[in-house]
Every structure is written in C-alpha cells, then in structure tokens.
C-alpha cells in the first residue's frame, strides 16, 4: 500500500472535500470551533507535506519553514492571510477557490445593500422590542434602491456580479478599477469613472477589491467625507480596505447615512464595538460565501488543489502561478 502523505487541516470543512482528503491522505484535522493557536499550527505542520487552511490562519514564512510543505491549499478565494511571496520563494504552490463563491457573495452584497437601504435590522429589532403599535407614516424611512446610483469599486468577478444585480434594479452603475472593461461597459451599460467621481456620485458604494498594500484603507476619512450624506457603504470584500475608525466617525457624525459590512477590521469585531452597536450599521459575520452550494464546491476545490500539490501536479486553481515559472 502506498504511503499516504501527511496533511494538516486547520478546521472542519464540508465533507464534500474533507472526505477525499481523509481517504487519500493521513490527515489530522483541527476540530475546534475557533482557529488553532499559532503554536499548534507550527507543531502540526512540522511533519506535514500539505496544509489546508482558512483565511483566519496567518500563514507566513515561519509556518512554511516549520515543515516540508509541498502545497498550501486555502479554503477561500482571498489569500491575504498567506505570504504569497514567501511561498513562491520557497517553491510552494498556494491553491485557492475562485469562481464558485462569486454569485453567493454577490447575493449577500445585495442583501446587505437592501438591508441597510430599507433598515431591515432596525425594523426587526423594533418589532421584537414591542415598538410596533401602529402603521407609521414617518417610521423607518429608508432609501429607494430601484433607479439609484450604484458605485462598484473593483470590477472583478464579484464586482461584476453585483453590477449585474444593480442593473436588474435599473440602477445607474458606475465602476472604478485599475483597468477599463469596455465589453462589460457595453453589455451592462456601466460607466467607468475615477474613484473620486464614484464616491461623489454614488448613492451606494460597494467595495470589491482584494486586500493589497495599495487597497488598505482605500476607504479612509477623505473618501468617506467625499461621499454623499445620504450614501450607504457596503463592504463584503476585506475589512482592511475600510478604515474602521474613520467609518465610526462617518456614521456618528453623518458624513454618510449607513454602512453594511460582511467583513471588518479587526475580524471578528467585539460585540461592544461601536460599529456593532450603531443602529445605522449592519454587521454580519463574514458570510458572503456561506451557502451550502458554494461551501461544498470550495471544499472540493481545496481538496483538488491539495492533492494536486501532493502529487507534484500543477494546482488547478493556483494563487501564485509564478511558482511554476520559477521552476522552469
Ligand atoms: C473568500 O473566499 O475569500 C471569502 O472571503 C470567504 O469565502
């Protein structure tokens, strides 16, 4: 019988992928609800060839050097928790799960947009707290979504899927991106604008860039002050793109009307954080990809990447393709 490669899996993921990993590898799985502590990861990878990790695990050169890793497979599309440069320098391919969570995340983005616009969480609290005593002509007035202006920052897969939803609501859709997308402009009737123009004109500003050094705090005090006072900010990308302290002030002082966040900085946010407590901010716990369908497919892809790396094949979904150029 062939020797099974040792792998460490940092959390229970759907059986759709985990079962394959267990059948083909000698897998140790961290079954805790919270992420494994750093010393546990360092200890566990010491004799492993493969690591299947989550966005809540910081995977840097120290972790990579703690073992003889041949592959790192991330159960997510975003890989900002992994030092890709360090992985590439060490010849370790890093897998991720692009594509399969696009529509789920775009759905959630739009759900957040609608929830903030129409003040759904406030309405739910109002009813639960016994406040609903009659129909109120002036109660819980929100913003109309249909026909409003949507500003999409970052027209990648998810940004495009959100833009499509916006067009379904007859919205004027502006986008900013490092590059222009003429075909999508034509197909969807999108308008390419600068970030400054976008934040000045949009009723809803939605963020869909990866977290990179150049996008950290892209939404800062200056950006928030440039937005309309009735504007709503949605972030379902990465928390670090928005300066959380500036956002607290923006919501407290009325620079913008409301925000809806699936991601925060730090993450998780403590329950007593101002953004959690404010009535004009909706916070949900990073659930953009949390549909059964998306998470099952993510698990399958993570397993495919892991197994490919262990057998020395090119990863089907590789986040650092430069690792292969380096070898040739
Ligand atoms: C990702 O995949 O990067 C999401 O944030 C979680 O699914």
């Amino acid at each position: 019988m062939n020797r099974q490669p040792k792998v460490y899996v940092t959390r229970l993921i759907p059986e759709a992928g985990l079962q394959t990993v267990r059948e083909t590898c000698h897998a140790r799985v961290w079954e805790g609800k919270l992420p494994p502590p750093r010393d546990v990861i360092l200890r566990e990878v010491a004799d492993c060839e493969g690591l299947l990790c989550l966005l809540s695990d910081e995977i840097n050169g120290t972790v990579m050097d703690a073992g003889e890793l041949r592959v790192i497979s991330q159960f997510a599309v975003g890989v900002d928790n992994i030092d890709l440069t360090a992985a590439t320098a060490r010849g370790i391919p890093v897998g991720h799960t692009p594509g399969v969570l696009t529509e789920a995340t775009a759905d959630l983005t739009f759900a957040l947009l609608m929830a903030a616009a129409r003040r759904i969480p406030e309405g739910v609290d109002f009813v639960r707290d016994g406040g609903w005593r009659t129909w109120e002509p002036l109660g819980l007035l929100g913003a109309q979504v249909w026909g409003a202006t949507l500003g999409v920052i970052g027209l990648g897969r998810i940004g495009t899927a959100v833009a499509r939803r916006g067009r379904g609501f007859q919205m004027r859709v502006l986008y900013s991106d490092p590059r222009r997308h003429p075909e999508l402009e034509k197909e969807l009737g999108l308008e390419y604008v600068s970030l400054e123009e976008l934040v000045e004109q949009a009723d809803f500003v939605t963020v869909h860039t990866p977290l990179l050094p150049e996008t950290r705090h892209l939404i800062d005090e200056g950006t928030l002050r440039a937005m309309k006072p009735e504007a709503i900010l949605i972030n379902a990308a990465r928390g670090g793109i928005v300066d959380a302290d500036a956002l607290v002030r923006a919501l407290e002082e009325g620079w913008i009307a409301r925000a809806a966040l699936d991601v925060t900085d730090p993450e998780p946010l403590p329950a007593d954080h101002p953004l959690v407590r404010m009535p004009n901010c909706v916070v949900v716990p990073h659930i953009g990809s949390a549909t059964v369908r998306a998470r099952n497919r993510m698990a399958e892809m993570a397993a495919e990447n892991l197994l490919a790396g262990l057998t020395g094949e090119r990863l089907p979904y590789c986040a650092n393709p430069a690792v292969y150029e380096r070898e040739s």
Side-chain angles (χ1 to χ4, degrees):
M1 196 171 145
N2 286 340
R3 186 191 68 88
Q4 289 193 319
K6 286 187 179 163
V7 302
Y8 186 55
V9 181
T10 64
R11 210 81 59 80
L12 284 171
I13 62 167
E15 280 300 313
L18 192 54
Q19 189 183 351
T20 317
V21 174
R22 288 195 206 267
E23 284 171 1
T24 45
C25 306
H26 176 80
R28 289 193 302 266
V29 182
W30 175 261
E31 298 195 358
K33 199 162 168 56
L34 296 178
R38 186 147 194 83
D39 59 313
V40 171
I41 297 187
L42 289 171
R43 196 176 59 234
E44 289 287 0
V45 299
D47 63 349
C48 282
E49 293 169 64
L51 174 65
L52 197 157
C53 58
L54 270 60
L55 52 82
S56 41
D57 306 312
E58 190 198 345
I59 307 300
N60 58 15
T62 310
V63 174
M64 296 169 201
D65 293 339
E68 302 277 314
L69 291 177
R70 302 177 64 198
V71 58
I72 297 170
S73 175
Q74 164 103 327
F75 178 73
V77 63
V79 286
D80 45 281
N81 58 308
I82 302 175
D83 187 338
L84 286 188
T85 311
T88 305
R90 288 161 177 76
I92 305 173
V94 176
H96 67 150
T97 65
V100 292
L101 47 91
T102 301
E103 302 303 340
T105 306
D107 282 350
L108 192 272
T109 303
F110 227 80
L112 285 175
L113 183 154
M114 300 288 286
R118 299 306 304 271
R119 306 174 63 181
I120 304 292
E122 286 174 81
V124 171
D125 286 348
F126 185 72
V127 175
R128 285 199 177 136
D129 294 346
W132 189 17
R133 302 174 59 193
T134 184
W135 184 81
E136 296 190 27
L138 300 176
L140 287 170
L141 302 185
Q144 179 154 308
V145 174
W146 194 93
T149 299
L150 175 66
V152 179
I153 301 178
L155 199 71
R157 279 181 292 259
I158 298 171
T160 304
V162 171
R164 284 186 199 282
R165 283 157 179 74
R167 292 299 289 148
F169 278 71
Q170 300 288 302
M171 296 175 98
R172 176 183 175 216
V173 182
L174 316 176
Y175 77 98
S176 71
D177 193 81
R179 70 182 182 90
R180 244 184 124 144
H181 300 266
E183 311 79 35
L184 287 171
E185 284 176 34
K186 205 163 147 204
E187 182 196 335
L188 298 174
L190 312 182
E191 297 173 44
Y192 184 61
V193 293
S194 66
L195 180 64
E196 291 73 25
E197 290 170 309
L198 184 147
V199 295
E200 277 168 24
Q201 294 180 35
D203 302 305
F204 298 91
V205 173
T206 183
V207 178
H208 299 287
T209 63
L211 179 61
L212 303 167
E214 57 273 28
T215 60
R216 179 168 289 281
H217 290 190
L218 183 71
I219 308 295
D220 59 6
E221 173 170 347
T223 323
L224 290 161
R225 283 192 186 276
M227 286 169 68
K228 296 180 185 180
E230 63 274 20
I232 294 177
L233 174 72
I234 303 106
N235 186 7
R238 283 292 183 265
I241 299 165
V242 176
D243 177 345
D245 294 337
L247 180 60
V248 169
R249 281 187 290 131
L251 292 169
E252 276 172 355
E253 296 173 17
W255 313 345
I256 66 171
R258 285 189 277 284
L261 312 172
D262 182 40
V263 290
T264 59
D265 182 23
E267 197 167 294
L269 274 191
D272 62 354
H273 192 281
L275 291 174
V276 178
R277 295 281 152 205
M278 286 174 175
N280 56 346
C281 189
V282 181
V283 183
V284 293
H286 203 149
I287 54 171
S289 65
T291 66
V292 173
R293 179 169 154 169
R295 289 282 168 87
N296 280 346
R297 190 65 194 113
M298 286 164 68
E300 287 168 0
M301 289 167 84
E304 286 169 43
N305 279 328
L306 185 77
L307 300 189
L310 291 171
T311 51
E313 287 164 32
R314 194 181 173 103
L315 305 198
Y317 316 100
C318 186
N320 62 338
V323 76
Y324 297 113
E325 287 153 32
R326 175 188 168 274
E327 281 171 2
S328 60

